[in-house]
Structures are given as structure tokens and as C-alpha cells.
Amino acid sequence: MTFVFFALVFVLYSGINLYIGRRTWQWLQAIAPQRIPRWLFWLSFWLLASTPFVSRFVAGRVPTSLMALLTPIGGYWMSIFVYAGMILGLVDLIRWLLRLTSSAPKGVGYSRRTLLATGATVIGLLVGLIGYGTWRARTPVVAKYTISVPKQAGPERELSIVLVSDTHLGYSNSVGRVQAMVAMVNQLKPDLVLIAGDIIDDDLQPFNDQAMANELSKLESRLGNYAIMGNHDVRADELARFRADLAQAGIQMLVDEWVTVDNSLLLVGRDDIGGPRTSGDVVGVPLTEILQGADRSLPLLIMDHNPNRFDDSVAVEAALQVSGHTHAGQLFPFTLITGLSYEQQWGQLSKGPSNLVVSSGFGTWGPPIRVGTVPEVVQIKLRFEP
């Protein structure tokens, strides 16, 4: 089944790229006929189209300087793939409808003038979309929520929690992104910092090479910094080292564990639902089992990378679950897909006394752009009103 799925993805990806390449070649021939060797164009085109997969395959096998070049190229090519395919498909649909209804002058569909105008329009739209998306992905905002909790939390009457998720630190989201995130968090003067998974982007090497843990150590909070695993974080054999790096940076990793914060809160960090790439054990430990021995009279906060287990939190009457993972879709039209795939793909959802806050994330995965979504740092004010 896995082979069939990847075979279908390969055929679809190759087919759409072939379509984009043919339309690009037609446009180039309209500009400068016979001046560009066909073999050179297609060789260059397929090299670019292969970079998203090549960069993943050679990770850890080539110098980091080459990875730092290949990864952004592959990400931007995926952006071009998505939006060039959509725009060109729309152009050809309009052309087909005009021909079907005989609304267009004869021969205008593929005339040199039409090809030049269409190509210039498509490229202008692509440049505009990718330029905007790059700016948007690098311009995070602060999303704010206020939640009332009908429980006493020791001496605390109000807590300011800052939530960050999906930083995807690596070759595309490099050390400068960590510095920007830390500056935003510290400006909010949080009592508690929660990092809801996907801290790194599959590969631990750039995290270590760029001393990102050292930058994370600059996070400032009154009651501590805590993190959980996401589906793109380290594999089982790297977990101990990753936890140690974060601990040295003042961040406590929770993997199906609970801690009491300032004798006022009960904080649970769940392992990611994605599989044994994290702890190496069977994923999906019931919350009731994780909570054994915990003081259930305290307000309960749960960190779970994937928001789809919110009903588990409701069942144990958690005051708050914080999640990420969805990126709110990151790119239109994928925003529509995630909207159908998750009960809450972004924002706040309440069920009885339990609340879910899903962050759209701080970083990006794949294409280093955002269209239709906004990167964010989340500030949650918990007011305890027993």
C-alpha cells in the first residue's frame, strides 16, 4: 500500500511538472525561438524539479553548505509547482471554454502575442504570490487569548502563557528565526513558555551546527520553559541527546510525562501521535495512565502536538490543551484541506470547562512561504476564578 501511494505521488508530481515545463518552453520559444537548446532547458528544469526530493535524500551525506543551498531551492520549487500548476491550469481552462463557446478569435489561443501576454501574466502572478508569501512567512504576529479556569491555582490569580509551535528549525528556518522568536517571546514577559512540537525539521545537524540551543537558552520566563515532541522532531536514537541539549538550554522536554509547576499547575506533555520515531515506544499512552500519581485537584494543562486528541483532554477535564501541527494549512488551497481534516485547525475551541488553542506555527515546512495563513506566537492569559 505504501509503495502504491508513493508511486501515485511520483506520477502526479512528474505529470504536473511536465505540464508546467511544456507551457514554460512554449513561452520561451515565443520570446526567443531556437535560441535556447531544448536539452539544456529540460535538463535544468528537471534538476530544479528534483531538488525537493534530492535535498531530503542527501541530508547527512553532503556538506551542510550544500544542504543550506538545496533545501531553500527545493522549498521554493514546491511553491512554484503549486501555484504555477494552479494558474496555468486556470489559463488553459479559460482558453478551452473560449474555444468551446467560440468566443475567442480563431487562432488567438496559441498566437505569439497571446503566449507572450499569458506568460508575462503568469510570471507576474507567481512573483507576486511568492514574494508576498516569503514576506508573510517572515512576519509573525502575536495571537492573544483569555481563558477563565474555574479552579484555584495556588497563589496564582492570572498566568501569562506563551505558546510557540512548529518552528521547524533547520536549513530554511535557520538561527536568525530562533533569534526572532526568542525576542518576540521575551517581549511578552511570560510566566510560562510552552513549545508544542516540531522544534526541528527532521534533521538535528543544522540545529547543532548553528548552535540553536544556545539561542533557545535566552528564553525568559518566571515559571519555566517546557517542550514536547512533534512528528518532525528527532528519531528514537537521537532523543536522549536532543533532550539533553534542550535541558542545557533551560527547556524541559516532556514525553508522556507530567510535572507540577510552582505547586499551582499540573502540566502534561504527550508524545506525538505520529509513531515511534520519538520515544521509541508505542505511541498513544492513555492520559489516565500518564496522570497516575498526579494531584488532580490542580488545574490541568496538556501539551499535545496534534490537536486531534482534544477529546482525550476533555475526558480528563483539562482546563487547556495547546497544540500545533496544522500550520492552519500554511498555503492556500491546503488551508481548505486542513479545515476539513481537523475539528479545529487553528484558534480556540471550547468543550465544557476544557479549552483547546491551536497555533498556526512560527515556521514553515517545505515551501518557505505562507499564503492565506499567518505565522504567530500565542499569548494565553489564564484567569483562575474558583
Side-chain angles (χ1 to χ4, degrees):
M1 183 62 69
T2 302
F3 173 78
V4 172
F5 171 78
F6 281 109
L8 289 173
V9 169
F10 175 77
V11 170
L12 181 63
Y13 182 75
S14 300
I16 295 174
N17 271 304
L18 180 62
Y19 168 67
I20 294 170
R22 290 185 63 184
R23 288 290 178 261
T24 304
W25 175 252
Q26 289 175 340
W27 181 68
L28 288 174
Q29 288 301 292
I31 294 176
Q34 308 304 320
R35 292 186 181 179
I36 302 173
R38 183 187 291 266
W39 69 268
L40 180 59
F41 167 79
W42 284 108
L43 176 62
S44 303
F45 182 87
W46 286 115
L47 283 174
L48 282 171
S50 67
T51 50
F53 303 98
V54 169
S55 61
R56 294 282 174 177
F57 178 75
V58 302
R61 300 180 177 91
V62 299
T64 55
S65 57
L66 181 57
M67 284 300 301
L69 177 65
L70 286 175
T71 303
I73 290 175
Y76 275 112
W77 183 262
M78 288 302 297
S79 308
I80 293 170
F81 168 80
V82 170
Y83 288 113
M86 289 174 57
I87 296 169
L88 287 169
L90 180 60
V91 167
D92 279 342
L93 176 62
I94 293 171
R95 179 186 287 130
W96 178 78
L97 289 173
L98 289 174
R99 290 177 62 188
L100 186 67
T101 59
S102 302
S103 302
K106 186 177 180 180
V108 73
Y110 292 96
S111 69
R112 183 172 184 272
R113 179 177 296 179
T114 301
L115 286 173
L116 287 172
T118 302
T121 301
V122 170
I123 288 177
L125 287 171
L126 278 176
V127 170
L129 274 170
I130 293 173
Y132 164 78
T134 300
W135 168 82
R136 181 72 278 175
R138 295 296 184 267
T139 314
V141 301
V142 177
K144 297 183 178 183
Y145 302 91
T146 300
I147 295 173
S148 296
V149 178
K151 271 191 175 185
Q152 184 70 41
E156 306 290 348
R157 294 293 178 267
E158 181 175 289
L159 281 179
S160 175
I161 297 174
V162 170
L163 165 67
V164 180
S165 78
D166 301 277
T167 49
H168 285 274
L169 302 177
Y171 296 107
S172 291
N173 297 294
S174 58
V175 67
R177 299 293 293 148
V178 189
Q179 294 166 343
M181 183 270 287
V182 169
M184 284 188 70
V185 170
N186 289 346
Q187 192 172 21
L188 296 172
K189 299 185 181 345
D191 295 311
L192 192 65
V193 172
L194 305 180
I195 305 175
D198 279 358
I199 300 168
I200 65 170
D201 194 23
D202 294 303
D203 191 349
L204 193 55
Q205 185 170 340
F207 181 82
N208 290 327
D209 288 347
Q210 299 180 48
M212 295 187 193
N214 184 58
E215 297 301 324
L216 288 173
S217 71
K218 299 174 185 176
L219 285 169
E220 300 171 357
S221 65
R222 183 170 65 91
L223 299 178
N225 310 318
Y226 296 89
I228 56 170
M229 301 296 290
N231 56 301
H232 286 278
D233 285 311
V234 297
R235 299 183 183 276
D237 57 351
E238 296 177 309
L239 179 57
R241 179 184 177 187
F242 191 44
R243 291 186 76 160
D245 288 342
L246 292 179
Q248 192 170 3
I251 300 170
Q252 184 174 348
M253 174 73 74
L254 299 175
V255 184
D256 285 338
E257 299 165 278
W258 61 265
V259 294
T260 301
V261 179
D262 194 38
N263 295 315
S264 302
L265 296 171
L266 184 59
L267 178 64
V268 173
R270 302 194 74 180
D271 200 356
D272 182 61
I273 199 173
R277 56 178 288 120
T278 52
S279 66
D281 301 320
V282 176
V283 175
V285 179
L287 266 176
T288 51
E289 183 177 328
I290 298 171
L291 286 166
Q292 287 180 3
D295 183 355
R296 298 294 301 278
S297 68
L298 297 174
L300 174 59
L301 275 61
I302 294 174
M303 303 170 67
D304 192 343
H305 181 63
N306 193 314
N308 270 352
R309 293 192 289 189
F310 179 48
D311 284 343
D312 291 358
S313 298
V314 174
V316 296
E317 298 182 337
L320 173 66
Q321 175 181 317
V322 295
S323 299
H325 182 61
T326 69
H327 292 220
Q330 187 169 319
L331 300 176
F332 177 86
F334 301 112
T335 50
L336 305 177
I337 298 172
T338 54
L340 295 172
S341 302
Y342 297 92
E343 182 179 16
Q344 189 73 18
Q345 68 160 336
W346 173 78
Q348 182 181 357
L349 173 67
S350 298
K351 290 185 178 181
S354 300
N355 296 273
L356 169 68
V357 173
V358 184
S359 171
S360 63
F362 188 84
T364 54
W365 179 78
I369 71 171
R370 282 182 178 263
V371 177
T373 64
V374 178
E376 65 183 14
V377 166
V378 180
Q379 183 182 50
I380 305 169
K381 289 194 175 179
L382 288 184
R383 291 178 177 168
F384 302 100
E385 301 172 349

